[in-house]
Amino acid sequence: MNASASSKNPLTLVIVGGVAGGASAATRARRMDEHARIILYEKDEHASFANCGLPYYIGGEITDRSKLIVAKPELFRDRFNIELHTRHEVTAINRREKTVTVLDRNKGITFTQKYDKLILSPGASPVVPSLRGVESSNVFSLRNLADTDRIFAAVNARSDGHAVVIGAGFIGLEMVEMLHRRGMKVTLVELQKQVLPPLDPEMASRVEQELIRNGVKVHLGAGLAGFETSGGNVSKVILSDETKLDADLVILGIGVKPNVKLAQEAGLALGRTGGIVVNEYLQTSDPDIYAAGDAVEYRHGVSGLQQRIPLAGPANRAGRLAGQHAVCGQSRPMAPVLGTAIVRVFETTAALTGLTQKTADPAHSRAIWVTTNHHAGYYPGAKPLNLKLIYDTRDSRVLGAQAVGAQGVDKRMDVIATAIQLKATVYDLTELDLAYAPPFGSAKDPIHMAAFAACNDLDGLMTTVRPDVDFENMQVVDVRTAKEFAELSFPGTINIPVDELRQRIGELDPKKETIVTCASGVRSYVAARILEQHGFSTVLELTGGASVRSHTGQPVKRGKEEVPPPCRA
Ligand code: FAD
């Protein structure tokens, strides 16, 4: 593939924003066109820094700050011959003249720069509510290195103090762990009734438990309503339910809004979720202007809807394609994006890809839950992994997945994300030939187990019911051992261990609608097959078993005592 302009008539490519999308665009453009003039404007102090690493520097896991700069200015200059200008803000685009107006913050002067092609990757800005006190010096958002340095200094000053993190999304959760690691007493506040709102509530509930297990106070279902200040600092955070929380430091992690002012003022089209509209080659409504990253809308890989997906992977891929297309006039199209994301919260990892049950069409989708070990149970160190698979009941296509566990979450999510991208069905998942030896997995991987269960459901071998189904008026048989049942059970269930079921089948009424449940859905499937073949009229399997139901908010019994459910969702 050749660059569109020759060495005699080099093209001028101007890029706005020098981090994920912008830096990827610039370096790819250079690799594709040795002669183009490539100018990269970054309004802040640093370009090409690792946004995703910032929480880990604050928490002390990354100790060398210089490692956060992925590509140093010399690298842009010497290896890539890219003109990087930091502290240069592009303030306007003149599409007719094909120029940008640039404010040089070093010199305090404004100038114009001509472009042949322009790429916008200005990212997104943290949402900051307009509340009195929000401008206090101990209230922070985290987006760049300057924010990081400020938070780092504040934690150093009050590492035994109280931190309040508002927003239980990915960055909020990372900050909770890192502030806790630095010794702060951390309270997490989330407006929704679950942490990690992108996940379904029963999956997110495990993350909530992990936070509580580590001494984090979790306050759900209430939003930030205001601050009490003293001496220019916030001293208390006030929530919508009137709770007041002590605060030496406040982190706002309540989402981001796309930086679209430049694009909007230049008359470029914006989409339904407020991001810049781009085609599959990242061209905006002006074909000489490209856009990538958090400011744009991508096509979702399952729903097909245009939406903002503010993640580093899509930003880097889109920037790279835009950089190539801008100088060559051709590239592969940007593939739809699945929103695959992952977060570590202490010793638990949670991840998702594609649609959730919240976002999938309930009329044409179903979900299956499995709880299995992340590697062979007999090999030391096996840890339970909860996997939820969502599939289309019409064509058996995999629509999405979520996983929570101590280990092995990332590889399951990446395999399923790949399968979704290749439009796999749950039948395809049963056939995946995955690497296996006992320290790494099981001959029947958790992905296979989930897919088997989904296929059994679609093939009519087993009808499943949701883990939060109402047990009222149902005959519910729990086929776990008596010991397991004594530790945790659900009101209204009969305990007949699966190995005793054939002998004790007379204790059950075959004419009644019967739900079978166990710990995770493996034994209940065997039990359900036994009951069906002994003439029970309607046998339903509780998908996910006790391990999922106990996170759905349904009543739970420990011993003889009924206890409040752990999940308030
Ligand atoms: P950015 O990387 O933010 O770059 C935009 C740049 O443009 C900024 O430096 C900005 O100063 C500059 N700019 C804006 N306007 C102008 C202008 N007018 N003139 C000049 N310059 C301008 N994603 C993941 O997938 N995984 C993670 O683990 C993860 N962790 C994260 C942790 C944190 C703390 C943060 C903040 C983000 C994280 N993300 C993560 C998200 C990811 O960093 C972003 O999706 C990605 O950086 C977006 O790339 P971008 O190029 O659109 O924007």
Side-chain angles (χ1 to χ4, degrees):
M1 199 173 293
N2 287 319
S4 56
S6 70
S7 57
K8 284 198 189 117
N9 186 21
L11 172 149
T12 299
L13 171 63
V14 170
I15 300 171
V16 181
V19 190
S24 298
T27 49
R28 178 67 171 177
R30 172 56 74 225
R31 287 192 292 271
M32 301 308 292
D33 185 347
E34 179 57 18
H35 304 292
R37 183 172 180 210
I38 302 174
I39 307 169
L40 183 54
Y41 291 119
E42 168 52 56
K43 73 175 168 56
D44 289 340
E45 195 76 40
H46 301 280
S48 192
F49 63 86
N51 332 42
C52 311
L54 303 179
Y56 301 99
Y57 173 70
I58 294 168
E61 279 193 40
I62 297 172
T63 50
D64 182 350
R65 185 180 177 281
S66 70
K67 292 253 163 70
L68 294 172
I69 311 289
V70 181
K72 307 230 164 12
E74 307 80 78
L75 189 94
F76 280 107
R77 186 189 62 214
D78 300 340
R79 189 173 301 169
F80 292 105
N81 187 23
I82 289 166
E83 299 169 38
L84 167 64
H85 301 281
T86 53
R87 293 179 54 78
H88 279 62
E89 180 175 358
V90 174
T91 55
I93 304 166
N94 184 333
R95 287 167 56 195
R96 193 149 5 116
E97 305 289 322
K98 292 185 87 171
T99 61
V100 289
T101 307
V102 186
L103 167 66
D104 175 347
R105 288 178 163 179
N106 299 310
K107 298 186 182 141
I109 55 162
T110 295
F111 62 91
T112 55
Q113 170 62 52
K114 224 175 150 15
Y115 67 81
D116 296 305
K117 303 285 176 184
L118 176 65
I119 299 178
L120 307 177
S121 194
S125 299
V127 172
V128 178
S130 47
L131 291 170
R132 224 165 55 87
V134 79
E135 69 296 338
S136 304
S137 55
N138 60 343
V139 178
F140 305 93
S141 299
L142 177 59
R143 184 74 198 180
N144 55 29
L145 268 167
D147 299 334
T148 305
D149 291 338
R150 281 192 289 268
I151 299 171
F152 193 77
V155 178
N156 284 348
R158 287 306 308 269
S159 63
D160 59 346
H162 292 271
V164 179
V165 176
I166 315 282
F170 293 98
I171 297 175
L173 288 176
E174 287 174 351
M175 283 308 298
V176 164
E177 183 184 346
M178 291 300 114
L179 295 173
H180 178 277
R181 191 173 190 274
R182 293 290 307 275
M184 298 196 80
K185 296 177 258 314
V186 188
T187 303
L188 174 64
V189 174
E190 167 58 52
L191 180 61
Q192 296 204 28
K193 287 188 175 160
Q194 66 168 89
V195 300
L196 262 187
L199 264 68
D200 288 323
E202 80 289 351
M203 299 300 280
S205 158
R206 294 163 200 282
V207 177
E208 181 190 343
Q209 285 190 342
E210 178 69 358
L211 290 162
I212 293 166
R213 190 178 75 83
N214 281 279
V216 174
K217 292 206 176 94
V218 181
H219 203 108
L220 301 178
L224 172 64
F227 299 106
E228 270 182 25
T229 55
S230 119
N233 270 342
V234 163
S235 55
K236 285 197 193 305
V237 170
I238 307 164
L239 304 184
S240 50
D241 63 3
E242 293 176 9
T243 304
K244 288 188 180 180
L245 302 169
D246 289 337
D248 298 298
L249 181 152
V250 180
I251 304 282
L252 299 174
I254 51 177
V256 292
K257 53 182 189 315
N259 292 332
V260 294
K261 188 163 169 271
L262 261 186
Q264 199 167 22
E265 287 175 356
L268 301 177
L270 300 186
R272 64 177 196 104
T273 63
I276 303 169
V277 170
V278 289
N279 66 14
E280 57 194 333
Y281 300 106
L282 289 314
Q283 287 165 302
T284 65
S285 49
D286 177 336
D288 289 325
I289 304 179
Y290 295 74
D294 289 0
V296 310
E297 289 186 352
Y298 301 108
R299 190 154 72 82
H300 191 278
V302 182
S303 71
L305 295 173
Q306 298 296 131
Q307 66 182 77
R308 293 188 298 110
I309 303 180
L311 291 169
N316 277 274
R317 296 197 298 279
R320 181 175 179 275
L321 289 174
Q324 172 170 335
H325 203 276
V327 295
C328 297
Q330 50 184 311
S331 69
R332 283 183 63 78
M334 176 76 187
V337 178
L338 295 173
T340 309
I342 189 162
V343 65
R344 187 198 70 197
V345 182
F346 297 99
E347 283 163 35
T348 292
T349 305
L352 80 161
T353 186
L355 299 184
T356 59
Q357 253 188 317
K358 285 188 212 169
T359 54
D361 176 357
H364 302 296
S365 63
R366 263 207 298 274
I368 214 92
W369 289 255
V370 291
T371 306
T372 54
N373 288 316
H374 87 286
H375 65 46
Y378 58 81
Y379 185 82
K383 298 274 192 315
L385 178 96
N386 298 103
L387 181 60
K388 177 175 185 178
L389 193 62
I390 298 149
Y391 47 97
D392 196 309
T393 47
R394 294 164 299 183
D395 59 8
S396 69
R397 283 260 298 276
V398 184
L399 300 175
Q402 294 156 64
V404 182
Q407 286 183 39
V409 167
D410 52 346
K411 92 165 167 173
R412 272 66 192 209
M413 220 31 47
D414 285 345
V415 168
I416 297 176
T418 309
I420 295 176
Q421 184 126 356
L422 298 176
K423 313 223 176 299
T425 66
V426 290
Y427 297 96
D428 296 321
L429 290 191
T430 66
E431 293 161 6
L432 291 179
D433 192 21
L434 302 174
Y436 160 64
F440 304 102
S442 296
K444 283 188 216 148
D445 190 83
I447 294 173
H448 294 130
M449 297 302 286
F452 291 148
C455 293
N456 287 341
D457 173 38
L458 291 174
D459 293 344
L461 278 174
M462 179 48 51
T463 307
T464 55
V465 286
R466 286 174 60 106
D468 59 355
V469 69
D470 190 354
F471 282 170
E472 186 103 24
N473 300 325
M474 306 290 279
Q475 175 168 255
V476 186
V477 195
D478 188 329
V479 297
R480 294 174 304 152
T481 63
K483 183 168 174 285
E484 287 172 287
F485 189 79
E487 280 163 10
L488 170 100
S489 65
F490 305 101
T493 51
I494 309 160
N495 178 220
I496 306 180
V498 64
D499 297 341
E500 298 170 20
L501 188 59
R502 287 187 186 85
Q503 293 77 49
R504 295 176 57 188
I505 206 158
E507 294 174 29
L508 300 171
D509 179 353
K511 291 197 207 70
K512 271 195 168 169
E513 237 182 352
T514 305
I515 295 178
V516 195
T517 175
C518 65
S520 66
V522 177
R523 283 170 287 177
S524 59
Y525 175 54
V526 176
R529 298 296 301 148
I530 294 172
L531 294 181
E532 279 204 338
Q533 293 178 68
H534 279 79
F536 278 63
S537 55
T538 311
V539 183
L540 307 163
E541 189 194 357
L542 186 81
T543 176
S547 67
V548 178
R549 188 172 176 86
S550 60
H551 288 267
T552 60
Q554 290 295 332
V556 175
K557 272 169 78 180
R558 296 196 191 274
K560 291 208 166 82
E561 227 176 285
E562 200 165 309
V563 291
C567 173
R568 277 154 272 170

